[in-house]
Amino acid sequence: MNHSFRYKQLGYLALNVTDIEASTRFVVDVFGLDLIDEDDTGARYFRVGARHHDLILTPAETACFVRSSWELESQQELDVAFAKFSELGLNPAWLGRNECDRLSIARAFRMTDPVLGATWEYFAEMTNICSPLRNGLTSFQGGKHFGIYVPDNEAMTDFLCERMGFKLSDYIGDQFISLVRAWPNPNHHSIGTVTMPGSPPRLHHIAFMVNEIDDIGRLFNRCKNSGVDIHFGIGRHPTSGSIHLYIYGPDNFVWEYTLGMEQFPEHDARQPRRMSGAPENYDLWGAMPDDSRADILPLVQVIAT
């Protein structure tokens, strides 16, 4: 794909949770986000920095990953992206003024991808908050990414790169795992897609970048002291080079702290690497994930098309 529009970053993630109080306690007291707001639907908004929110949790009967929301570099880039997706037949639709106001953003549109049936939101200009963070548990860098299990990773990777403007950074085996970045954002990956044939799409994890190794060490001990199960780590990824810790939260959502991700230049970046998927090469420090809950992780909300 010719990169006809420019990403700034992954803006926020939206999840449905079955127990909003338990999820809020986990997100605030264990993971370290600030609860900033609650709207008239019961949805709660959390932030890690100056922007109004980085995460929305909404109470629901079934836990699921609702959508990802992507910030583009400007209003002009938003219009270019809308035109591009319209040209591709993806039927983007602008959000109404009331919903944009509720989300504290200037303008946004949503669309459904034809591979997973998942919702993608694009916006420009979220409200910034000048008051300092109240939660001092963690020093967040601000960047985020997420991973999803998909039935056909090759098809999903091709769609992300050929239709949605992402670039492939690395892949493991014969695209058993693909790591793609939202060009020209420099972070090694914004999305990781993982093969799970025969299963509906499931959320693999959501990740927030931290500033210091101490943040990861403190989270590890908070988990031990709070009875929170570890999913993976502490370890170091051989792809991005980042130090990581993945933990289980309510509804079996997996949450990650990540530190030290490889940065790509906008132009003349290295080519994607085919990485080994052998267990001995999975982690530079020898960590191994607990995959015992893979088939019960929360589903990605799929919209019928």
Side-chain angles (χ1 to χ4, degrees):
M1 173 182 178
N2 292 324
H3 293 280
S4 54
F5 62 89
R6 296 170 62 89
Y7 287 91
K8 184 176 182 180
Q9 59 194 342
L10 174 57
Y12 71 87
L13 298 166
L15 313 177
N16 282 352
V17 298
T18 60
D19 185 335
I20 190 68
E21 298 301 337
S23 292
T24 297
R25 288 193 298 271
F26 171 84
V27 167
V28 174
D29 297 336
V30 177
F31 206 72
L33 276 63
D34 259 29
L35 174 60
I36 185 66
D37 200 4
E38 180 174 347
D39 67 25
D40 56 8
T41 72
R44 294 181 179 179
Y45 297 72
F46 303 81
R47 67 175 178 132
V48 300
R51 290 179 307 159
H52 182 269
H53 61 277
D54 299 271
L55 176 72
I56 302 175
L57 299 183
T58 301
E61 290 186 5
T62 302
C64 68
F65 179 81
V66 176
R67 67 179 178 274
S68 59
S69 184
W70 300 85
E71 184 176 6
L72 301 186
E73 287 188 346
S74 67
Q75 296 281 358
Q76 291 75 23
E77 295 296 327
L78 190 65
D79 289 328
V80 171
F82 186 90
K84 180 65 176 178
F85 292 140
S86 297
E87 176 188 327
L88 293 171
L90 297 174
N91 302 314
W94 293 105
L95 272 62
R97 183 69 266 153
N98 287 343
E99 187 160 15
C100 287
D101 288 345
R102 180 168 58 82
L103 293 168
S104 295
I105 52 181
R107 287 196 305 152
F109 66 82
R110 289 181 190 153
M111 66 179 195
T112 302
D113 77 78
V115 180
L116 296 182
T119 300
W120 302 76
E121 180 180 287
Y122 286 81
F123 73 92
E125 298 182 20
M126 179 181 284
T127 298
N128 277 253
I129 298 173
C130 61
S131 57
L133 294 169
R134 297 185 298 271
N135 196 332
L137 285 179
T138 296
S139 170
F140 288 103
Q141 184 265 354
K144 295 178 292 298
H145 68 266
F146 66 94
I148 51 176
Y149 283 112
V150 298
D152 186 341
N153 190 34
E154 185 173 357
M156 191 68 213
T157 303
D158 288 348
F159 181 79
L160 290 171
C161 295
E162 298 300 324
R163 296 290 184 268
M164 296 187 70
F166 291 85
K167 290 185 74 71
L168 182 65
S169 297
D170 288 312
Y171 61 100
I172 297 175
D174 293 323
Q175 288 194 354
F176 167 66
I177 297 174
S178 299
L179 300 165
V180 301
R181 63 189 187 275
W183 185 89
N185 185 289
N187 290 336
H188 178 275
H189 58 279
S190 311
I191 305 175
T193 54
V194 184
T195 302
M196 185 182 275
S199 171
R202 293 185 180 276
L203 181 67
H204 186 276
H205 70 284
I206 60 175
F208 289 75
M209 299 173 72
V210 297
N211 280 317
E212 301 174 358
I213 189 65
D214 290 351
D215 295 317
I216 294 179
R218 292 188 186 107
L219 176 63
F220 183 84
N221 284 311
R222 281 200 300 278
C223 291
K224 294 294 185 183
N225 294 333
S226 304
V228 172
D229 291 336
I230 304 297
H231 167 65
F232 186 15
I234 300 172
R236 188 165 198 143
H237 289 307
T239 48
S240 64
S242 57
I243 300 170
H244 63 81
L245 175 60
Y246 299 71
I247 65 175
Y248 286 108
D251 293 314
N252 285 318
F253 282 110
V254 175
W255 304 73
E256 180 195 4
Y257 274 10
T258 180
L259 169 69
M261 184 175 285
E262 179 185 1
Q263 301 290 285
F264 281 77
E266 180 173 337
H267 303 292
D268 300 319
R270 66 164 177 80
Q271 292 299 304
R273 300 171 298 184
R274 184 180 191 273
M275 306 294 288
S276 169
E280 63 269 21
N281 298 317
Y282 204 70
D283 188 271
L284 293 174
W285 294 355
M288 292 297 292
D290 165 24
D291 288 330
S292 63
R293 307 187 199 182
D295 61 350
I296 59 171
L297 293 178
L299 295 173
V300 174
Q301 179 171 278
V302 173
I303 305 298
T305 56

